[in-house]
Amino acid sequence: MDVLREFANGALRLRVLRYASTDEVHGAWLTEELATRGHRVSPGTLYPLLHRLQEAGLLKSRTEVVDGRRVRRYRTTKRGKRVLTDCKAVLAQLAEDMA
């Protein structure tokens, strides 16, 4: 078991939820933004993650056509926002314990 990888994957999921909680996001933007935070994520990793978060009821999506191309935009659901708030509390406690 790779504990660091599991922790990084959890951080990735939380970042996606956080970004989608403030505005609609799409995959290309997420890929770029996550890279600035040290997460080098391929489409083969990101899109299944987005779909899993949507299936779990944490994200919702809509599709629109931009310049003739379909773009799927994601937004955090009410449940996703509650989960994000709970996770922030757990992370704050963890940070306090680790200090």
Side-chain angles (χ1 to χ4, degrees):
M1 176 187 333
D2 187 346
V3 175
L4 182 57
R5 171 174 258 147
E6 287 182 31
F7 190 82
N9 286 338
L12 174 64
R13 288 188 295 273
L14 289 177
R15 281 198 164 113
V16 168
L17 285 176
R18 185 177 68 81
Y19 294 144
S21 72
T22 58
D23 199 3
E24 286 185 319
V25 296
H26 58 86
W29 182 87
L30 280 169
T31 299
E32 291 176 17
E33 185 63 25
L34 291 167
T36 68
R37 305 287 187 219
H39 295 281
R40 305 275 183 230
V41 182
S42 71
T45 298
L46 181 62
Y47 289 101
L49 169 64
L50 291 169
H51 292 122
R52 284 192 306 275
L53 291 172
Q54 190 169 357
E55 288 173 3
L58 304 178
L59 290 179
K60 58 185 173 182
S61 69
R62 68 180 182 87
T63 302
E64 68 179 3
V65 177
V66 177
D67 297 328
R69 298 186 71 183
R70 289 176 29 148
V71 176
R72 184 172 295 250
R73 299 194 184 274
Y74 296 88
R75 182 86 178 185
T76 306
T77 62
K78 288 180 183 177
R79 180 171 183 252
K81 288 180 181 182
R82 285 192 308 271
V83 167
L84 182 60
T85 298
D86 292 346
C87 287
K88 285 179 182 180
V90 169
L91 285 172
Q93 182 64 47
L94 176 62
E96 185 178 310
D97 290 348
M98 299 302 287

